[in-house]
Amino acid sequence: MLQKLKRTPYTAREIRPSGWLKRQLEIQAEGLSGHLDEIWPDIRDSRWIGGDKEGWERVPYWLDGFIPLAWLLDREDLKARARRYIDAILDGQKEDGWICPCGDEERDRYDVWAAFLIGKVLVVYHDCTGDSRIEGAVSGLLHSLDRHIDGRTLFNWGQARWFECLIPLFWLYERRPEPWLLKLAHKLRLQGVNYRALFEDWQFQKPDEKGRWTYLTHVVNLAMCLKAEALYSRITGRDANDFTKMAMELLQRDHGMPTGHFTGDECLSGTSPIQGSELCSVVEAMYSCEHLISVTGDSFWGDLLERLAYNALPATISPDMWTHQYDQMTNQPQCSYLSQERNPFRTNSGESHLFGLEPNFGCCTANFSQGWPKFALSVFMEAEDGVAVTAISPAVLHTEIGGAPVRVELETDYPFRDQYRVKVTAEKPVEFALYLRAPGFVSGAQVDGTEAEPGKEFRMLRRWDGEQEVTVRFSMEPQMSRRPSGMYVLNRGPLLFSLPVAERWQREEFTRNGVERRFPWCDYQIFPESKWNYAFAGQDWEPEFGQIGEYPFSPQSAGISLWGDLAEIQWGMEDGLLEEVPGGEVLAEPQRMRLIPYGCTNLRMTELPLVLEK
């Protein structure tokens, strides 16, 4: 038997984005994610659909985000393109259940990580469509895998990411509670990396020397593994929440970024503001948080999910979502080609922080697609006795409770504003609990004027009839905090703030290894057009609220700013690489300057010295 989830996710048949969140998904559909199957050979000509290009993780990665994107937006053109891929994948499944596009003679050396991933994709597709073919296909896939790993144990990515297979496995078990499935789960755990042992005897306080690459410190593996113990606890009943928090605390202590994420370019890289973190790791950390909310019901993971979604995710994708970085940096005043001698990344190339089609490596090109759609699907989750707001963002839920059709709408401009309103419409009287999220990073919260505890859910049990509204308001003050570098960062609520740097985008169009970069899916170097060398010169910050524009996460459309004193200082940058910590003198008197959300920036300075206090 599986332990019950504390919060059960709804599907794209029940949730629709609204407000700025819907616009964010529309931008994604208009950008790279919505066109990869038309322009990128590894998707367009993949072996998954009978072509001759990559037949491993890239099509599943892309579909994992493209499918919910299509159904959340209810776009028939996108749905038709998704169906074409799913039909081809199902048509290619072998009689023994093997589904990955390789010849029988290739199976021994085929990394079955792709099988885990396509299993997750099929589940997402079923959630969106209810397609009756999927249950049998997932059953066949898992039967084939069960036999396969008896004589060919997990290796490489499959070994590092064994727990991802639990997602389709548990989905099938809840429909067909057959004992062999739980035995397969046990087998996967035995053959996979033991992340409990990794964190309980933590040996990675410092990053390895430059150039040394390992599966054990790979940032995407670690972002994924945050949910491993929680997922498996559904079998054992063991409390995994404290363990996972301990793991996150170690990652934050030794490799943390002020966005709530941790560095890894590609492996853990310490706390320097000029070390990067891979885009894949951001969306996978978000996905882990979404599962952790579901399994544990702990609002702690809602806090982390929002910090990642509102800071780290948009900061590493261009506002129009046609380009993205492989690595983002906390302090990033220039994004240009770095020589091998000047490259700060431990195992990545000097183009990893460029904005482009596939800078450094193409996994993020496909995988970033899941970030916003799966976040939208996490706004509401089902509680045992009602509905929970689990991530604060504008969306509408249509569900049925106690035989009554119920509509729950969350209206908000959060995180750019300090409140949200929930409208509940019940077609006939019905009693249920509404769980309202009060984030842990606010100083105060009120639900219709009643005090609520930050970091906890506010349970409102009520008999709902017709349309009723509930308003949740927050108190948020700007907070400066010290980083391991000795410098400081500025937060307000879920948002990290940065000094935006004026930009000059230099287009790079070329073809490499048969892959064309052509506008708008070309690469860009970005150069500063304004001074960036500043320090905090005070701790008083005044918020200014503005309109949320057509591109919500862009320098031009920031819905909130903080004004305060900064002073120009001596701070070196050579050949595009910023000096990690400045040692220079103050060059001018402080001046009043504007900071905007980190997620709204492309070029930015975030972690700054504090040189004066008033």
Side-chain angles (χ1 to χ4, degrees):
M1 293 293 293
L2 292 179
Q3 300 286 319
K4 286 185 177 180
L5 297 170
K6 296 290 190 350
R7 298 286 180 264
T8 302
Y10 292 105
T11 71
R13 287 180 280 176
E14 298 158 295
I15 289 180
R16 284 287 184 272
S18 59
W20 71 257
L21 180 59
K22 181 181 180 183
R23 176 57 190 150
Q24 199 69 5
L25 294 182
E26 289 170 345
I27 295 168
Q28 181 171 330
E30 294 161 4
L32 193 60
S33 178
H35 293 278
L36 272 183
D37 58 324
E38 300 167 340
I39 65 173
W40 199 36
D42 280 350
I43 303 295
R44 185 189 63 211
D45 307 318
S46 171
R47 291 180 69 182
W48 284 99
I49 56 169
D52 60 357
K53 295 297 187 291
E54 205 252 19
W56 189 52
E57 69 177 4
R58 293 186 178 181
V59 157
Y61 262 156
W62 172 67
L63 287 173
D64 204 21
F66 183 77
I67 289 169
L69 177 70
W71 268 266
L72 283 166
L73 291 176
D74 198 22
R75 286 268 303 269
E76 292 301 328
D77 56 330
L78 304 184
K79 291 178 185 179
R81 287 156 57 196
R83 288 191 193 99
R84 171 176 170 255
Y85 277 78
I86 294 298
D87 289 347
I89 290 164
L90 294 180
D91 288 346
Q93 189 169 24
K94 302 297 177 61
E95 288 186 8
D96 66 355
W98 185 270
I99 200 168
C100 299
C102 68
D104 292 345
E105 73 284 356
E106 299 175 276
R107 290 191 190 184
D108 285 1
R109 59 184 182 274
Y110 190 90
D111 188 336
V112 295
W113 153 237
F116 306 165
L117 188 49
I118 201 63
K120 289 169 47 183
V121 167
L122 293 175
V123 168
V124 168
Y125 187 73
H126 184 276
D127 286 346
C128 289
T129 66
D131 190 319
S132 61
R133 299 173 296 171
I134 300 302
E135 189 173 314
V138 173
S139 178
L141 183 164
L142 294 175
H143 270 295
S144 173
L145 183 68
D146 188 30
R147 293 186 296 269
H148 180 76
I149 65 175
D150 280 341
R152 307 166 190 83
T153 55
L154 298 177
F155 62 89
N156 291 0
W157 301 106
Q159 185 179 34
R161 300 173 180 180
W162 62 271
F163 47 86
E164 297 288 318
C165 192
L166 298 180
I167 296 167
L169 190 154
F170 288 170
W171 177 89
L172 184 63
Y173 184 83
E174 286 172 336
R175 287 155 178 78
R176 302 180 182 182
E178 298 168 354
W180 71 272
L181 284 165
L182 298 188
K183 289 183 179 179
L184 173 58
H186 183 60
K187 191 187 302 183
L188 290 164
R189 182 178 178 86
L190 290 174
Q191 293 189 20
V193 172
N194 184 341
Y195 287 100
R196 180 173 284 274
L198 177 79
F199 284 107
E200 287 183 343
D201 184 18
W202 182 241
Q203 300 289 315
F204 301 104
Q205 292 86 354
K206 302 290 184 184
D208 288 327
E209 66 269 20
K210 189 171 182 179
R212 183 164 185 168
W213 189 101
T214 77
Y215 283 101
L216 293 180
T217 66
H218 188 272
V219 67
V220 183
N221 292 344
L222 294 177
M224 289 177 169
C225 87
L226 291 173
K227 62 183 174 292
E229 289 293 310
L231 288 171
Y232 204 77
S233 73
R234 297 193 65 197
I235 294 176
T236 64
R238 188 175 183 179
D239 181 7
N241 202 32
D242 287 346
F243 167 78
T244 309
K245 287 182 179 179
M246 178 268 290
M248 192 64 199
E249 183 179 343
L250 291 172
L251 289 168
Q252 277 292 310
R253 183 195 71 189
D254 296 335
H255 307 281
M257 302 175 75
T259 58
H261 197 43
F262 41 91
T263 60
D265 48 34
E266 288 183 349
C267 299
L268 293 175
S269 293
T271 59
S272 167
I274 60 170
Q275 293 298 154
S277 196
E278 187 181 335
L279 173 52
C280 274
S281 71
V282 175
V283 296
E284 294 296 352
M286 290 173 59
Y287 188 52
S288 287
C289 288
E290 289 152 10
H291 277 281
L292 285 158
I293 294 168
S294 178
V295 173
T296 71
D298 191 339
S299 188
F300 175 90
W301 302 110
D303 288 356
L304 182 55
L305 174 61
E306 289 185 8
R307 291 185 68 196
L308 293 168
Y310 297 147
N311 297 293
L313 177 61
T316 193
I317 307 170
S318 61
D320 64 2
M321 292 202 211
W322 269 107
T323 63
H324 67 91
Q325 297 176 291
Y326 195 77
D327 291 331
Q328 66 176 287
M329 293 180 283
T330 303
N331 285 347
Q332 185 173 280
Q334 182 168 310
C335 295
S336 59
Y337 291 110
L338 298 173
S339 66
Q340 187 61 34
E341 296 75 23
R342 304 296 298 166
N343 177 12
F345 308 128
R346 295 194 179 276
T347 60
N348 291 341
S349 73
E351 65 175 37
S352 298
H353 65 320
L354 303 187
F355 282 78
L357 174 64
E358 52 174 46
N360 193 65
F361 195 65
C363 56
C364 296
T365 306
N367 194 23
F368 88 85
S369 296
Q370 71 167 306
W372 284 116
K374 290 185 179 179
F375 178 76
L377 289 170
S378 301
V379 173
F380 300 104
M381 293 189 188
E382 182 182 1
E384 186 175 6
D385 58 348
V387 174
V389 173
T390 44
I392 305 169
S393 199
V396 180
L397 169 70
H398 292 272
T399 188
E400 187 174 290
I401 303 175
V406 174
R407 182 181 189 271
V408 184
E409 181 176 6
L410 196 160
E411 296 181 336
T412 190
D413 284 337
Y414 180 93
F416 309 107
R417 298 292 186 272
D418 302 349
Q419 68 175 45
Y420 66 95
R421 180 170 58 182
V422 179
K423 287 184 179 179
V424 179
T425 306
E427 292 190 9
K428 61 182 180 179
V430 60
E431 183 176 277
F432 64 89
L434 181 63
Y435 290 84
L436 298 162
R437 173 163 158 69
F441 36 65
V442 304
S443 57
Q446 301 83 36
V447 178
D448 280 349
T450 300
E451 292 296 321
E453 183 179 355
K456 303 289 185 182
E457 291 178 319
F458 185 94
R459 182 175 182 265
M460 178 177 283
L461 180 63
R462 180 181 289 184
R463 185 173 176 82
W464 305 90
D465 187 10
E467 183 178 299
Q468 296 172 267
E469 293 185 4
V470 181
T471 300
V472 184
R473 290 185 170 88
F474 305 126
S475 300
M476 299 184 193
E477 291 79 33
Q479 299 286 337
M480 294 184 68
S481 56
R482 199 170 191 267
R483 296 288 299 156
S485 64
M487 298 190 289
Y488 287 78
V489 293
L490 177 63
N491 290 273
R492 185 181 185 275
L495 295 177
L496 175 67
F497 283 78
S498 301
L499 174 69
V501 179
E503 310 158 3
R504 175 173 59 85
W505 290 61
Q506 179 173 302
R507 185 185 301 178
E508 309 286 343
E509 295 182 305
F510 59 96
T511 299
R512 181 194 295 164
N513 298 326
V515 179
E516 184 183 34
R517 280 84 165 166
R518 176 165 57 85
F519 179 80
W521 61 88
C522 56
D523 289 2
Y524 294 90
Q525 297 189 75
I526 313 179
F527 297 94
E529 292 283 284
S530 65
K531 292 180 179 179
W532 47 264
N533 49 310
Y534 289 92
F536 293 120
Q539 300 191 58
D540 295 326
W541 298 93
E542 180 182 353
E544 179 182 75
F545 299 99
Q547 290 293 114
I548 300 173
E550 186 72 6
Y551 294 90
F553 289 94
S554 68
Q556 296 78 25
S557 299
I560 182 174
S561 306
L562 293 179
W563 287 85
D565 291 335
L566 298 181
E568 186 180 353
I569 63 169
Q570 187 71 42
W571 198 333
M573 183 167 65
E574 183 179 350
D575 297 330
L577 180 62
L578 180 69
E579 182 182 12
E580 182 175 347
V581 178
E585 61 180 320
V586 175
L587 301 177
E589 289 295 313
Q591 56 184 302
R592 200 78 170 161
M593 297 186 71
R594 173 177 176 255
L595 274 60
I596 66 173
Y598 177 97
C600 294
T601 63
N602 302 306
L603 298 184
R604 59 181 165 266
M605 294 295 289
T606 311
E607 196 165 315
L608 308 177
L610 178 61
V611 296
L612 293 172
E613 293 189 55
K614 292 186 177 180

